[in-house]
Amino acid sequence: MAHPDDAEISTGGTILALKAAGLKVGVIDLTNGEPTPFGTPEIRARETAKATQILGIDFRINLGLPNRSLTNSLEARAILAGWIRQLKPKLIITHCPEDSHPDHVSASALVEGARFWAKLSKTDLPGTPHHPALVLFAPSIHLRQVAKPEVVINITPHMETKMAACSAYHSQLVQGREMGGPIEDIEIQARYWGWAIQKRFGEPFYSREVLGLNHPGVLTQLDDPPSS
Ligand SMILES: [Zn+2]
């Protein structure tokens, strides 16, 4: 994701659900997210460490790319492709290609380009060729658009922890915000997408690719999500 806090806002519940299912989950933040009105690099690093601890993820890396002027450059693509070749993720979640924040739009294109480069042979990129099977796009809270997602993950058992992780970003989501700020927006969106799948809370994801199921039996378990 482009900025520390984007992963928590858009995918915090899904990260927790994946961890509860026994999977390894990591986050790569592309920039440090600064400057912002109430943040400093030090404050952001502390907030990120706290949120990371709450999520209980396996690793978190910051690539230190330029905030506010993030681009889908060849240099950035090579750096990210190198990490993909070394970490070998099966699933990547990044921003939607359509977003009102230019850094998010750049991040989305950068991730898709790096995913492709990661499988190249005859290259001096670190690691070995790897092609993640699926890239999912997660909407942020900036673009007020409601498009039909390909899938919504039931995050009901993890909603409280997701909100704790989001609230760890005090300088970004709490400080200087009045009622109806981003924390409330995150809750309302999760409740809406939960309603859409007959659950309490959900997170929506989009894909350019058709989602295939190896185990169609899961379609009979939609009313019986694994408990955390
Ligand atoms: Zn962001």
Side-chain angles (χ1 to χ4, degrees):
M1 293 293 199
H3 314 109
D5 78 4
D6 287 332
E8 283 80 2
I9 292 170
S10 298
T11 71
T14 299
I15 287 174
L16 290 158
L18 289 168
K19 283 301 299 170
L23 293 161
K24 231 180 209 181
V25 183
V27 173
I28 296 182
D29 301 311
L30 298 173
T31 79
N32 73 356
E34 284 303 303
T36 58
F38 301 108
T40 67
E42 295 73 28
I43 290 171
R44 294 297 290 275
R46 277 201 303 274
E47 292 175 346
T48 305
K50 186 176 174 189
T52 302
Q53 192 180 25
I54 292 170
L55 289 180
I57 54 177
D58 297 279
F59 64 89
R60 190 164 197 152
I61 302 163
N62 193 304
L63 297 192
L65 296 170
N67 182 53
R68 290 187 178 175
S69 51
L70 183 65
T71 61
N72 178 20
S73 69
L74 297 182
E75 293 76 16
R77 188 187 301 167
I79 293 168
L80 188 55
W83 279 108
I84 293 172
R85 291 163 66 92
Q86 295 173 87
L87 295 167
K88 303 198 184 304
K90 292 178 178 171
L91 163 68
I92 295 181
I93 302 177
T94 187
H95 297 277
C96 289
E98 200 173 354
D99 193 299
S100 53
H101 196 314
D103 280 356
H104 292 185
V105 175
S106 293
S108 189
L110 177 56
V111 168
E112 282 204 299
R115 178 209 191 190
F116 195 93
W117 267 23
K119 69 178 177 179
L120 297 181
S121 59
K122 298 178 182 172
T123 168
D124 55 5
L125 292 169
T128 54
H130 175 71
H131 190 247
L134 182 63
V135 173
L136 289 179
F137 302 119
S140 76
I141 50 174
H142 297 287
L143 187 64
R144 294 169 197 279
Q145 179 191 63
V146 182
K148 186 181 177 187
E150 270 66 48
V151 62
V152 175
I153 304 293
N154 175 14
I155 63 163
T156 305
H158 309 290
M159 185 59 185
E160 204 175 312
T161 311
K162 170 187 171 144
M163 294 315 298
C166 289
S167 297
Y169 293 97
H170 191 267
S171 72
Q172 303 303 303
L173 303 177
V174 180
Q175 193 174 355
R177 307 285 192 165
E178 296 178 2
M179 289 271 289
I183 287 290
E184 192 175 307
D185 290 347
I186 294 165
E187 286 171 344
I188 289 168
Q189 287 190 355
R191 181 69 191 99
Y192 173 81
W193 290 113
W195 167 83
I197 58 166
Q198 303 177 57
K199 305 295 177 199
R200 189 147 172 76
F201 297 108
E203 281 175 347
F205 296 95
Y206 303 82
S207 175
R208 296 188 201 273
E209 298 157 310
V210 174
L211 304 184
L213 289 180
N214 281 329
H215 306 289
V218 298
L219 293 172
T220 67
Q221 299 166 1
L222 297 181
D223 287 329
D224 185 25
S227 55
S228 61

